[in-house]
RNA sequence: GCCCGCUUGGUGGAAUGGUAGACACAACAGACUUAAAAUCUGUCGAUCGAAAGGUCGUGCCAGUUCGAGUCUGGCAGCGGGCACCA
């Protein structure tokens, strides 16, 4: 996505000399190869050259005013007509002594990209094509594409009608054209970026003050270094619209650092993106006297994993990268990129509701009755809109404080983790929160119900022998631990929660009947409490205490899955005939092919499908699948 | 127009190329209860069948493979971002 925002493009700067006088117009193009197809010059109405020219041409002033009046909404831009003003001036073609090109002021040429001037090549650019049709300018094809390609043809091809470029391919022609420009001293290769300006000031209180003082005598004066940082005043009032800093006399009025006469502070503050563009460096050295400690920052940086919403994926990430590179260029550190990995998390969404008058309703003002939604206050029907990003303006928000109060923070946390993978949008529902609430209660009952027996068991002392059921529970514990650890490390939080549920469901069904089985259950429950703690920190601590331990779970090491308990003795093998599932068969996962083949071919359902036909191939993947190919 | 992301049951979503639908939500049926809540049990892709079982099924069309939700090529739809960027 950043490619789009940074918008690097390689091309050339070319000088076009005016026919009269000494001046030249400089243009930027990514298609210097199409130079011989040029039929006009387009200048932005905002270009200084045009402003100058307009002083003596009233009609041009009118045209510029029209262009500026044009709307900037998407619809208006989409439908805007190409318009030009013929200046009656000409430039000479850089390579062709006797070719002159008319100069138009054109409404579609942007001042803030390139040089604000373009050469128009109607045969190979849609905008120039439309423009040329309107003002009957020549349309000379100079790139031969596929024969069926209509004009304007914007793709690559072989150059024609182009003198020394004839016969070259687009890429090669670009290079050769630039070589000629350089040789003639009328141009050069150039790289431009369309990264938009970042207006870093905001007319609001919440932000870092901009350390500038405006003095009526000395102009704009920076706050001297020994007076930094400028700190926001605490005694501000928000009872009036606008920026409270503007209305704060004692903070705003200061003496000018230069002439010491009364002056005013800058009351705009920095965009919060300014601080978030380098805070990670400060985090590495919170006690440093300077903004950050180079050595410590270089030790800890870059950030291993950055998590943010979609707006962070473009703006914040872009700015952070800029700051990081700028700090490097200024010698503050040797780092060129701030983050190793980015996880772009989804947004929290909720259904939207409207009453019969079309007004938005909060979720708590609405109730589902017999499959239909009605307004609680008067039982009138409610229109349910699609689920959208939670937004104050659409009322589809759920106050976090209320959820925490009713269900506890762990319930909310569990729901958010379990419902969908973090990178996708998340649908907030009452049913979902209820489901998480039920699970927490279930977990609690599971541990509490076994508490009396379990408290008599010593952890770690593995009894011998273990019953088959004890072995089964022990293996399940380690298998769960293994997968849960992996899921968390890979950000598969919804699967992590699913594993927890599978595990606790199995433990619920398990009724120990032997000391070794109680031992296994005790191990399992301890493990369960440890591994729920990232998702359910409060519940985990409470259960940890109930199990008779001192605080805190969070200080316990993460348990380790032992490889020896991950080995399965028996596994259900999927059996296919001609690639189609025909059944399953339980066997050791370590059985060799020859033995397995004999077993499988003897199975009744396999025989039924084979019916004595010749077996062309027998595929056997240990512990996974067998496929009999006829 | 360009750039991202997405497309699997009624819903959210699982599935290192190897039994599609794990785990949930909703729904339905049942147990417990005077009743309700809570809890527990069962059913839950479509279709044919009394059953056993069969056939189809991961947006669409091809391809690779013993085997494709997963890989390759092409297409469509939905959502988001940017947009006259020369």
């Amino acid at each position: 996505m950043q490619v789009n925002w940074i918008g690097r493009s390689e091309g050339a700067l070319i000088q076009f000399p005016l026919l009269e006088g000494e001046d030249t117009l400089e243009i930027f193009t990514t298609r210097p190869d199409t130079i011989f197809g040029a039929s006009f010059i387009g200048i932005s109405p905002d270009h200084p050259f045009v402003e100058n020219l307009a002083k003596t041409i009233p009609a041009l002033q009118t045209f510029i005013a029209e262009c500026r009046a044009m709307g900037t909404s998407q619809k208006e831009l989409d439908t805007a007509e190409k318009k030009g003003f013929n200046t009656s001036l000409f430039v000479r073609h850089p390579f062709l002594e006797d070719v002159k090109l008319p100069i138009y002021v054109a409404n579609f040429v942007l001042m803030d990209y390139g040089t604000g001037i373009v050469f128009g090549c109607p045969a190979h650019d849609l905008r120039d094509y439309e423009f040329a049709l309107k003002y009957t300018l020549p349309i000379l094809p100079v790139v031969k594409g596929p024969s069926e390609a209509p004009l304007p043809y914007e793709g690559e091809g072989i150059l024609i009608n182009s003198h020394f470029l004839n016969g070259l391919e687009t890429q090669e022609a670009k290079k050769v054209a630039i070589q000629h420009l350089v040789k003639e001293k009328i141009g050069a290769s150039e790289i431009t970026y369309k990264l938009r300006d970042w207006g870093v000031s905001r007319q609001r209180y919440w932000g870092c003050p901009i350390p500038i003082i405006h003095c009526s005598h000395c102009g704009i004066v920076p706050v001297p270094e020994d007076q930094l940082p400028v700190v926001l005043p605490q005694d501000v009032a928000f009872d009036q619209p606008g920026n409270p800093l503007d209305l704060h006399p004692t903070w705003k009025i200061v003496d000018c650092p230069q002439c010491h006469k009364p002056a005013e502070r800058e009351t705009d503050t920095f965009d919060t993106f300014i601080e978030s563009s380098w805070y990670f460096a400060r985090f590495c050295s919170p006690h440093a006297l300077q903004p950050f400690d180079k050595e410590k920052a270089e030790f800890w940086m870059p950030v291993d994993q950055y998590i943010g919403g979609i707006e962070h994926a473009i703006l914040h990430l872009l700015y952070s990268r800029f700051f990081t590179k700028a700090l490097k260029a200024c010698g503050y550190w040797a780092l060129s990129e701030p983050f190793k990995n980015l996880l772009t998390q989804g947004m929290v969404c909720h259904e939207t509701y409207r009453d019969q008058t079309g007004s938005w309703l909060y979720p708590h003002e609405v109730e589902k009755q017999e499959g239909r939604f009605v307004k609680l206050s008067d039982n009138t029907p409610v229109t349910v809109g699609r689920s959208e990003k939670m937004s104050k303006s659409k009322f589809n928000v759920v106050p976090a404080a209320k959820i925490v109060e009713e269900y506890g923070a762990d319930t909310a946390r569990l729901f958010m983790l379990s419902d969908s993978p973090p990178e996708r949008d998340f649908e907030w529902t009452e049913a979902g929160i209820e489901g998480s609430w039920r699970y927490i209660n279930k977990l609690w009952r599971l541990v509490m119900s076994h508490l009396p027996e379990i408290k008599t068991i010593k952890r770690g002392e593995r009894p011998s022998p273990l019953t088959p059921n004890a072995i089964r529970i022990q293996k399940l514990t380690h298998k769960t631990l293994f997968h849960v650890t992996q899921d968390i490390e890979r950000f598969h939080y919804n699967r992590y929660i699913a594993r927890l549920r599978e595990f606790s469901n199995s433990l619920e069904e398990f009724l120990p009947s032997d000391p070794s089985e109680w031992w296994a259950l005790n191990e399992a429950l301890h493990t369960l409490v440890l591994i729920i703690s990232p998702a359910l920190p409060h519940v985990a601590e409470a259960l940890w205490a109930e199990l008779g331990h001192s605080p805190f779970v969070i200080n316990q090491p993460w348990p380790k899955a032992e490889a020896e308990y991950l080995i399965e003795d028996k596994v259900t093998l999927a059996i296919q005939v001609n690639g189609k599932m025909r059944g399953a068969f339980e066997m050791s996962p370590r059985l060799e092919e020859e033995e397995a083949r004999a077993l499988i071919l003897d199975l009744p359902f396999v025989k039924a499908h084979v019916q004595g036909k010749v077996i062309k191939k027998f595929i056997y993947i240990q512990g996974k699948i067998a496929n009999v190919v006829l």
Side-chain angles (χ1 to χ4, degrees):
Chain A
M1 214 179 306
Q2 291 195 17
V3 170
N4 205 16
W5 275 73
I6 296 169
R8 176 190 156 105
S9 50
E10 292 179 25
L13 285 172
I14 307 176
Q15 310 286 339
F16 285 75
L18 283 164
L19 216 56
E20 290 168 24
E22 296 293 298
D23 284 349
T24 62
L25 295 181
E26 189 178 49
I27 66 98
F28 172 75
T29 180
T30 55
R31 293 297 299 271
D33 56 307
T34 63
I35 183 74
F36 291 103
S39 63
F40 67 94
I41 293 292
I43 306 192
S44 164
D46 300 317
H47 198 281
F49 179 85
V50 175
E51 266 171 44
N52 212 22
L53 202 61
K55 284 174 189 161
T56 56
I57 313 174
L60 180 53
Q61 288 172 23
T62 315
F63 179 77
I64 295 171
E66 274 172 30
C67 290
R68 291 195 179 147
M70 201 177 67
T72 48
S73 78
Q74 285 193 20
K75 205 166 193 180
E76 283 168 305
L77 279 176
D78 279 346
T79 52
E81 204 185 340
K82 303 271 178 291
K83 275 187 192 163
F85 180 91
N86 190 342
T87 62
S88 308
L89 297 175
F90 293 89
V91 293
R92 196 160 39 75
H93 191 284
F95 291 128
L96 303 168
E97 201 60 43
D98 53 342
V99 171
K100 57 177 192 173
L101 307 172
I103 301 174
Y104 281 81
V105 179
N107 66 346
F108 66 91
V109 181
L110 303 173
M111 187 55 222
D112 43 3
Y113 184 77
T115 62
I117 313 177
V118 300
F119 79 76
C121 177
H124 305 292
D125 183 283
L126 177 61
R127 296 156 303 184
D128 299 346
Y129 185 77
E130 286 174 12
F131 193 79
L133 285 183
K134 181 156 179 181
Y135 295 100
T136 53
L137 296 162
I139 300 171
L140 175 70
V142 289
V143 180
K144 195 163 169 279
S147 54
E148 71 276 12
L151 289 181
Y153 172 67
E154 294 182 328
E156 302 196 346
I158 306 289
L159 273 286
I160 52 170
N161 301 324
S162 293
H163 303 262
F164 56 83
L165 298 176
N166 279 336
L168 296 175
E169 290 194 12
T170 300
Q171 290 308 323
E172 188 61 23
K174 282 182 183 175
K175 283 183 207 154
V176 174
I178 291 170
Q179 280 167 16
H180 274 74
L181 290 167
V182 171
K183 204 170 78 188
E184 307 269 328
K185 296 203 168 73
I186 48 170
S189 71
E190 170 82 0
I191 296 166
T192 64
Y193 301 88
K194 63 180 176 190
L195 184 53
R196 19 175 70 203
D197 289 345
W198 176 17
V200 296
S201 68
R202 297 285 181 271
Q203 291 175 20
R204 58 184 215 144
Y205 174 80
W206 302 109
C208 180
I210 297 170
I212 290 292
I213 291 167
H214 298 275
C215 172
S216 52
H217 296 89
C218 312
I220 298 172
V221 184
V223 174
E225 229 173 285
D226 60 7
Q227 292 170 29
L228 293 178
V230 176
V231 178
L232 285 172
Q234 302 272 326
D235 55 336
V236 281
F238 292 92
D239 53 354
Q240 289 181 64
N243 183 351
L245 294 178
D246 265 334
L247 307 166
H248 195 288
T250 57
W251 184 83
K252 187 176 167 185
I253 309 294
V254 287
D255 289 345
C256 168
Q258 277 176 23
C259 68
H260 304 290
K261 288 181 186 150
E264 289 188 4
R265 285 193 195 281
E266 172 61 60
T267 56
D268 277 10
T269 53
F270 277 123
D271 179 3
T272 49
F273 276 131
I274 291 271
E275 293 84 51
S276 55
S277 293
W278 68 279
Y279 73 93
F280 36 81
R282 176 73 191 180
F283 274 27
C284 298
S285 46
H287 305 298
L289 294 174
Q290 63 277 45
F292 67 88
D293 184 304
K294 180 174 190 275
E295 230 172 84
K296 286 182 176 156
E298 282 178 353
F299 174 79
W300 290 106
M301 291 290 289
V303 174
D304 295 287
Q305 182 65 45
Y306 188 83
I307 303 180
I310 184 71
E311 72 277 18
H312 291 107
I314 39 180
L315 298 175
H316 176 207
L317 199 55
L318 213 56
Y319 299 150
S320 303
R321 294 182 63 204
F322 168 75
F323 263 65
T324 302
K325 287 174 194 296
L327 287 170
K328 186 187 181 187
C330 297
Y332 288 99
W333 64 14
L335 198 72
S336 45
E337 289 288 348
F339 311 125
K340 267 192 202 160
N341 272 308
L342 169 72
L343 174 74
T344 304
Q345 69 190 8
M347 292 177 295
V348 181
C349 301
H350 197 286
E351 277 179 335
T352 51
Y353 308 106
R354 281 180 199 251
D355 68 11
Q356 294 206 290
T357 66
S359 307
W360 299 107
L361 295 171
Y362 284 106
H364 65 257
E365 297 177 298
V366 164
E367 197 183 47
K368 199 174 189 180
Q369 288 180 1
E370 291 158 18
R372 296 205 351 258
F373 280 90
V374 295
K375 195 170 165 183
L376 264 175
S377 54
D378 57 9
N379 265 354
T380 52
V382 165
T383 313
V384 180
R386 67 186 191 90
S387 183
E388 291 183 66
K389 173 188 174 184
M390 281 192 178
S391 142
K392 281 179 215 153
S393 63
K394 288 180 181 161
F395 286 28
N396 59 338
V397 289
V398 178
K402 201 162 160 262
I403 300 291
V404 171
E405 197 182 308
E406 252 177 79
Y407 297 100
D410 281 3
T411 307
R413 197 178 164 102
L414 178 69
F415 176 38
M416 299 215 57
L417 290 174
S418 63
D419 190 62
S420 54
E423 64 277 11
R424 285 207 207 169
D425 279 354
F426 173 81
E427 172 78 21
W428 187 279
T429 60
E430 187 64 21
I433 200 90
E434 288 279 351
S436 296
W437 171 244
R438 278 201 298 269
Y439 180 61
I440 288 181
N441 282 295
K442 240 169 115 163
L443 262 182
W444 185 265
R445 284 195 301 269
L446 170 65
V447 177
M448 296 307 278
S449 64
H450 295 307
L451 215 52
E453 296 91 335
I454 273 174
K455 281 200 166 173
T456 64
I457 291 165
K458 274 200 176 153
R459 284 193 74 202
E461 288 174 23
R462 189 171 183 270
S464 170
L466 293 182
T467 66
N469 265 334
I471 291 171
R472 183 173 60 83
I473 292 299
Q474 190 186 25
K475 282 193 170 175
L476 180 66
T477 302
H478 284 267
K479 205 172 112 187
T480 302
L481 184 52
F482 175 79
H483 285 298
V484 157
T485 306
Q486 203 174 55
D487 287 338
I488 292 175
E489 277 171 357
R490 294 178 182 175
F491 302 101
H492 295 165
Y493 300 128
N494 56 329
R495 294 208 325 214
Y496 156 49
I497 304 300
R499 299 268 187 207
L500 291 182
R501 297 183 102 125
E502 275 182 288
F503 186 40
S504 58
N505 286 349
S506 300
L507 296 183
E508 242 172 16
E509 288 164 18
F510 181 55
L511 296 170
S513 57
D514 172 279
S516 77
E517 291 177 4
W518 278 110
W519 176 85
L521 182 63
N522 184 41
E523 290 295 306
L525 290 176
H526 272 85
T527 305
L528 179 66
V529 171
L530 287 170
I531 64 179
I532 63 169
S533 102
L536 305 168
H538 305 92
V539 175
E541 293 296 351
L543 286 174
W544 191 247
E546 292 289 346
L547 286 170
H549 301 292
S550 51
F552 293 97
V553 159
I554 198 159
N555 292 333
Q556 294 294 314
W558 188 253
K560 200 177 172 316
E562 303 288 344
E564 60 179 303
Y565 303 123
L566 297 176
I567 300 162
E568 298 283 357
D569 303 325
K570 266 187 182 166
V571 75
T572 309
L573 207 73
I575 315 276
Q576 301 183 336
V577 178
N578 278 338
K580 278 199 169 188
M581 276 299 307
R582 293 299 174 190
F585 184 59
E586 199 164 84
M587 58 161 65
S588 159
R590 285 168 297 281
L591 211 60
E592 291 302 323
E593 174 159 349
E594 212 167 302
E595 238 175 307
R597 180 182 169 128
L599 267 169
I600 288 162
L601 291 182
D602 201 42
L603 291 169
F605 65 85
V606 175
K607 275 184 178 163
H609 281 96
V610 174
Q611 288 181 337
K613 286 179 205 142
V614 179
I615 291 161
K616 286 190 192 143
K617 213 170 181 179
F618 183 80
I619 312 273
Y620 174 68
I621 311 291
Q622 268 190 349
K624 289 234 165 110
I625 202 162
N627 188 5
V628 183
V629 185
L630 303 176

